[in-house]
Structures are given as C-alpha cells and as structure tokens.
Amino acid sequence: MQEAKKFHAHIIINGFQQQETYLRKLITFFSISNPSSLNYARLIFDQIHHKSTFIYNTMIRAYSASCNPQNSFVLYNQMHRNGRPSVDKYTFPFLLKACSVLGDIRKGEETHCQAVKNGFSGNVFVQNSLIHFYGSNAKIGSARSVFDEMFDRDVATWTTLVSCYANHGSIEIACHLFKEMPEKSVVSFSAMITGCVRKGRFNEALEFFRELQIRGLEPNDSTVMGVISAAANLGSLDTGKWIHSYIRNKKGNRFDSFMNTALIDMYFKCGSIKDAIHVFEEVKVKLVGEWTAMISGMAMHGFGERSVELFESMVELGVKPNAITFVGLLSGCTHAGLVEEGLMYFKRMKSEFGIEPTIEHFGCVVDLLSRAGLVAQAVTFINNMPMKANAAIWELAARWLLREEPWNAAIYMSLLSLYTEADRWDDVAMVKREMKEIGSRKSPGCSLVEVNGVSYEFVAGDKSYPPALQVSLQIDESIKEVKEDHGYWWD
C-alpha cells in the first residue's frame, strides 16, 4: 500500500498524473487489488480530466463488489450524462453484478433495457450476467428466457443457468441441464455439488464429486467445501476421512480458515471428537471460525463446560467472537444446565462485544430456561423480547411445557394445527401418537376457557395456567400469520 502511494507521488512529481498507462495501474491496484483502499482510488479517479471506458469500468466493477454497490450507478449515470466515454461489453455485467448484490430487480430490469438500447443484447458476457442476475433473484423464468434466446452459449452460460436452478429452482431441472451440457468445467460440477448440498441431496453431491475425479478435473475450494458439507450431513466418518486425506494430498496442510472450520465441523457431526480436536490443534493461527466450530461441536456432544472454557480462551487470546459463536456457546450452556452462565453470556453479547442478539439467540435462551424447568420464566422472557417471537420459539416453549404437563390437551391441539398448516406430517403423526398415549391415563380435573370464539382446555394445576394459555394463543396467532403470508418459518 505504501509503495503504491510512493509510486503515485512519483507520477505526480514527474507530471504523468493524466497519462492513461499509469492511471490504469493505479486505479486497478487501489480499487481491485486492494479493496480497502477504494476511497483512495476514487480520489485519483475524480482528478482525471479525460476518463477512459477502462477507467470507468474498473471503478464500476470495484463498487459492484463493495459495501456501496449503488455507487456503480452513480458513475454510470455520469458516463451517460457526459455522453463519453462510450460503454462497452464489460460495463453492463458489472452493473448487473451491483444489482444482484443490492437485490434490486427493478434496477436490474432497467439495466437490461439499457444493454439492449446500447446494442449489447446479443453479447455473451452481458447475457451470462443477465442469467445470473435473474436467477440469483429467483426470477428463474426470466433467466431461462435469456438462455433460450441465445445463439452462442459457452460453458459459463450453461453453468450459470445450472447454478440458478440448483440453488434457487428445481434440482431435477438442474440435473437435466447438466447432462445436456456439451462441455463441463470444474465450476459446473461445483454448482451441482453446492446445489445438491443445499437441497439436502448429499449422496448425489458425492456422486458428482466422483464423476469430477473420473474426468480428471481438479476440484476448487468451492467444490471441496461442498463435499465436506455433504459428508458432515451424512455423518459418514469414513467418507469424511477419505475427503480429508484427498485434499491433504492435493494441498498439503495449507488449508485456509474456511476449510479448517469445515473440517472441524465435519468431524464433530460424524461423531469423531478426537479428529476434530486434532484438526484444531494443527491450526497455527486460529481465527474465529475454528474457535466457533470447536465451541459449537463441544456443545453438540454435550460438553457445555468445555465450550465455556474454549470461549474464555479465545477471548483471552484477543479473538473476537461473532454471532454464530454465541449460538454455540449458549447451546453449550443449555446442554450443561449452566443457566446463570448462559444468561450472563447473553448479556455480554451486546454490552461487551457489541453484538446485537438475533431471534436465534433469544431462542437459545428460551431453550436454556425451559430445559431447566423454568417455563414460566421462559414465557416472560419471550414477552420481553425486543422483536416479535416467531412460531419456532413458541413451539419450543410448548414442547418444554408439555414435559411439565403432558396431559395438557390445549397445547397438543395448538401444535397439531401448526404442524398441519406447515405440512409437517411426520410431526403431526408424532403429536397424535403422544396424544394417544396420554389419552389412556386418567386426566386431572380441567376447565374450559373461551378466547375469541375458541375454547381452550386447561388442567387443574396452578401456576402453569398462564404460560399454557399464552403459548396456545401465540401458536394459533402464528398459524394465522403463516396462512396470511404464505411464508415458511421452518425452512
């Protein structure tokens, strides 16, 4: 960075600050090679008297991948107003990338129109970018229309459409397209592997990996991450070890933090704590990913105290936890019955580490309290949440409440309605089995309470009434919201 600035100063001193050859190097380095210095690149850009298309495109590209992608359009509009320089086949792909990052479908459609107006509707780079834009925004029909209208398709064209279907549409159609591809690249295989993992088709993901090997293609990092995830979700230790050995032979022990984290997570999910610890200990510079995987993995296997020890070691070494770290930590406290510690860590999230708790963290605390038998306190906690509790949280409270009062028919009926509305038929069957089992027992005395025209039955018990009543009402309210929004909170 400092050397580049010295080079810039040398250019200015020698009066070359307006020469294209030097400007291209400077703009490319400060905006693309070193994204953290994008503001410095913009300062150079603003001082250029006659900006070329290359200079504009480089800055538009940099902004499209930045935290302010809308600035890509500020520069494009500047080009458009000035009438020079002219746009080219690279301008619109960068703009469409900005639209994808923003998730702005209307802006993307406007950009599509601008590309047609400027005569680039038949350019393969623009068309591939349009397929990606529409597909990544779940406009699969529009993506397919662009594909079908193309005269010349390259491997990137096919791969982009396959990826769209695999990740945002039908995996069956993705498989069909994949088979039809005249040429396949490692990126094509990676798209299918990632799509299969996302759709829960883990064995198929491994089959695609084997086909990739048979073809003699070298897997990239995305491919490897997908295969590790497939092995982890299958819980197949032998497969996991084979994959680990395979990538170690290819890469040596030069794994980045993402791959180390994935391997640790895989071994925990495959039940091998020993192998997970071995991978962790081999990492020389442990980042938050590796620490989080260890904390979550230990919690997964019931070693909550060890999760807490790992967390404290991480903080002591100056590694800052993230939101995912706290999900693992709170889960560890839950399984170890560390109620006070869990509540303390929940408070420290924001006060000490500046992390705003999400609905998932609140759910962890509800589970922590409920598992400890503090269901009424859990319901009070839910009522005091800064955001509205979703159906998953009320379902969690209901499940723990049933452990306290397994005869409470009102809770069962609310859960039954919720699962039915969600098409969760295995859960419907489970609730019916539980209801049948408790139906053979002698029921305690009960009362009927009618609220908004709906009758709720509550068992004579005492202090459990208010939580049971509120949980039932809130679950019914969640069912209404699901019907209105046609949304699925359980995905």
Side-chain angles (χ1 to χ4, degrees), residues 72 103 108-109 194 198 215 238 312 337 352 354 393 398 425 469-470:
S72 295
E109 291 171 339
T194 302
R198 186 169 293 186
R215 288 174 176 260
D238 288 341
E312 293 299 342
E352 186 175 338
I393 285 184
W425 302 112
L469 174 60
Q470 184 171 5

Side-chain angles (χ1 to χ4, degrees), residues 63 120 132 191 272 348 452 469:
Y63 277 125
F120 294 103
H132 176 266
S272 179
R348 285 178 65 187
N452 295 329
L469 174 60

Side-chain angles (χ1 to χ4, degrees), residues 52-198:
S52 67
T53 302
F54 178 91
I55 296 292
Y56 264 106
N57 282 348
T58 303
M59 287 300 297
I60 290 172
R61 175 189 173 189
Y63 277 125
S64 71
S66 74
C67 56
N68 295 303
Q70 63 275 10
N71 284 342
S72 295
F73 287 94
V74 172
L75 297 186
Y76 171 72
N77 291 335
Q78 190 181 108
M79 290 176 77
H80 190 67
R81 279 196 311 271
N82 296 339
R84 58 182 175 78
S86 59
V87 295
D88 65 12
K89 64 182 180 181
Y90 300 110
T91 309
F92 292 104
F94 297 145
L95 290 172
L96 288 166
K97 180 181 179 181
C99 293
S100 295
V101 175
L102 290 167
D104 192 333
I105 295 174
R106 183 175 177 181
K107 197 70 176 174
E109 291 171 339
E110 289 176 4
T111 304
H112 187 173
C113 292
Q114 286 292 318
V116 173
K117 184 178 178 181
N118 283 273
F120 294 103
S121 59
N123 181 271
V124 69
F125 295 108
V126 175
Q127 290 170 317
N128 289 351
S129 297
L130 284 167
I131 293 171
H132 176 266
F133 163 72
Y134 285 123
S136 62
N137 283 284
K139 302 275 286 185
I140 305 296
S142 297
R144 186 59 188 259
S145 294
V146 174
F147 178 86
D148 290 339
E149 291 170 4
M150 294 176 68
F151 294 108
D152 298 312
R153 302 175 183 133
D154 58 16
V155 66
T157 308
W158 285 90
T159 300
T160 304
L161 188 64
V162 164
S163 181
C164 290
Y165 275 108
N167 292 301
H168 307 287
S170 165
I171 192 70
E172 286 77 16
I173 296 177
C175 288
H176 178 72
L177 284 167
F178 185 81
K179 289 176 183 177
E180 287 188 344
M181 289 181 70
E183 180 188 356
K184 298 178 179 72
S185 68
V186 64
V187 181
S188 312
F189 278 96
S190 183
M192 285 307 304
I193 291 169
T194 302
C196 286
V197 169
R198 186 169 293 186

